[in-house]
Amino acid sequence: MVQVTLPSGTSAPSGADQILALSRLTSGSTSIAVWVALNDFAPPSASPTSIQFEDTDSGIRQIAGVITLGRASDESAISGYKVYFGSSATQKLPPAVLPGLAYKLFVFPQSSSLPSLDGRAPTSEGVHASLDFVRQDFGSPEAFNTGFAIRWTGFLHIVTAGTYYFQTFSDGCKVYLHGDVLIDDDVFKTNASWSVGTSLFLEQGAHSLQVDYFFAQAAAAPEGTMLLNYWGTDSSDMWMPVPADKLSHGVNETDWIAYVSVSAQGTCELLRYGASFNT
């Protein structure tokens, strides 16, 4: 092995992100290079150097005032600063979940089983707080007398890990958890009825959920019903509809309090919460 020692304080030229090594041949030419990425052991700090805030709002759990932020010592690699609420000196609060399940409604004549909804343009879209649904929730059920289908997507939140039992009451549906079929009740019915129950062990946390439902005809099943029940520790070991606070369809990606660009000078208005920001 051949070793070359770079002395302490050697400056890396601007734009250098690799170290190359070539062999110099006796003819005076050089060989093809080998290289290694140049990872600076102590890169210039891109973190703000300080932050100050004093609450001037006397209301309980309400805040107002000016956040004063010390600029980073080197701003060449950053475009701006974001301010967050935190649960500790180093941990941001997790982004708030978006409550309810997202739905897509498809109005078209149905047959005796679930149609393929993949790639089909929905008639309308929105959010339902829970899976305790009747077709009158859409306001004009007579418009759907020839049949319709709905796909709900989102997440089921489990607080306490354990074995959970699930059952549906519907006109025909399939329930998927993490992409796997949890309940298959894909049958034509003259009236809504309970599915066969099923169970599985669920860890604490969010579990991806999809429910596909179809309503064949109003004359056969006038209500148009879809209900998802569960039983387990989170339901105090009793059957109950999955509550709205255990369902979500995503997270609020804009979870920061404010953003200000590095080019800003002086005091900038926060984009949220109506306070001010000093740079």
Side-chain angles (χ1 to χ4, degrees):
M1 299 290 290
V2 177
Q3 292 186 333
V4 177
T5 301
L6 297 179
S8 178
T10 300
S11 297
S14 177
D17 58 7
Q18 305 280 339
I19 294 178
L20 310 182
L22 302 91
S23 297
R24 183 173 178 83
L25 307 180
T26 56
S27 62
S29 59
T30 55
S31 67
I32 298 174
V34 293
W35 66 91
V36 64
L38 175 57
N39 296 314
D40 195 345
F41 177 73
S45 174
S47 299
T49 54
S50 63
I51 186 170
Q52 296 178 345
F53 173 73
E54 182 178 350
D55 183 18
T56 59
D57 192 313
S58 60
I60 298 175
R61 299 199 63 79
Q62 294 182 341
I63 62 172
V66 174
I67 299 172
T68 303
L69 185 68
R71 289 181 179 273
S73 59
D74 183 351
E75 294 183 322
S76 61
I78 63 175
S79 59
Y81 303 95
K82 287 183 177 180
V83 179
Y84 296 83
F85 287 118
S87 57
S88 71
T90 59
Q91 185 66 44
K92 296 185 300 183
L93 284 178
V97 299
L98 301 174
L101 295 177
Y103 74 80
K104 293 183 178 181
L105 169 67
F106 306 85
V107 179
F108 63 97
Q110 302 295 302
S111 62
S112 59
S113 62
L114 271 167
S116 174
L117 301 178
D118 295 335
R120 182 183 289 270
T123 305
S124 64
E125 301 179 58
V127 175
H128 280 150
S130 66
L131 267 176
D132 187 356
F133 163 82
V134 293
R135 70 188 181 110
Q136 283 79 4
D137 291 344
F138 285 114
S140 302
E142 65 278 0
F144 311 139
N145 283 347
T146 59
F148 63 94
I150 306 174
R151 170 169 287 174
W152 288 275
T153 55
F155 299 91
L156 167 67
H157 295 266
I158 296 297
V159 177
T160 306
T163 298
Y164 286 82
Y165 299 82
F166 294 87
Q167 196 173 28
T168 59
F169 184 79
S170 78
D171 306 290
C173 71
K174 274 189 178 181
V175 179
Y176 302 83
L177 208 60
H178 296 296
D180 297 323
V181 176
L182 177 66
I183 294 175
D184 187 349
D185 196 28
D186 180 11
V187 293
F188 174 78
K189 303 178 182 182
T190 56
N191 287 287
S193 62
W194 289 104
S195 68
V196 175
T198 188
S199 66
L200 76 166
F201 184 89
L202 292 176
E203 298 287 354
Q204 179 187 24
H207 302 267
S208 63
L209 175 68
Q210 176 180 311
V211 178
D212 289 348
Y213 162 88
F214 78 108
F215 177 85
Q217 54 179 319
E223 293 85 4
T225 301
M226 176 67 223
L227 174 65
L228 177 64
N229 274 12
Y230 77 159
W231 185 99
T233 305
D234 285 0
S235 67
S236 301
D237 291 332
M238 64 178 67
W239 283 107
M240 64 180 293
V242 177
D245 64 357
K246 298 298 189 295
L247 298 171
S248 73
H249 62 282
V251 297
N252 182 5
E253 298 294 347
T254 311
D255 58 338
W256 37 266
I257 305 172
Y259 172 81
V260 61
S261 70
V262 295
S263 61
Q265 300 293 328
T267 300
C268 301
E269 290 298 313
L270 291 185
L271 300 185
R272 303 170 70 193
Y273 298 100
S276 296
F277 191 99
N278 278 353
T279 58

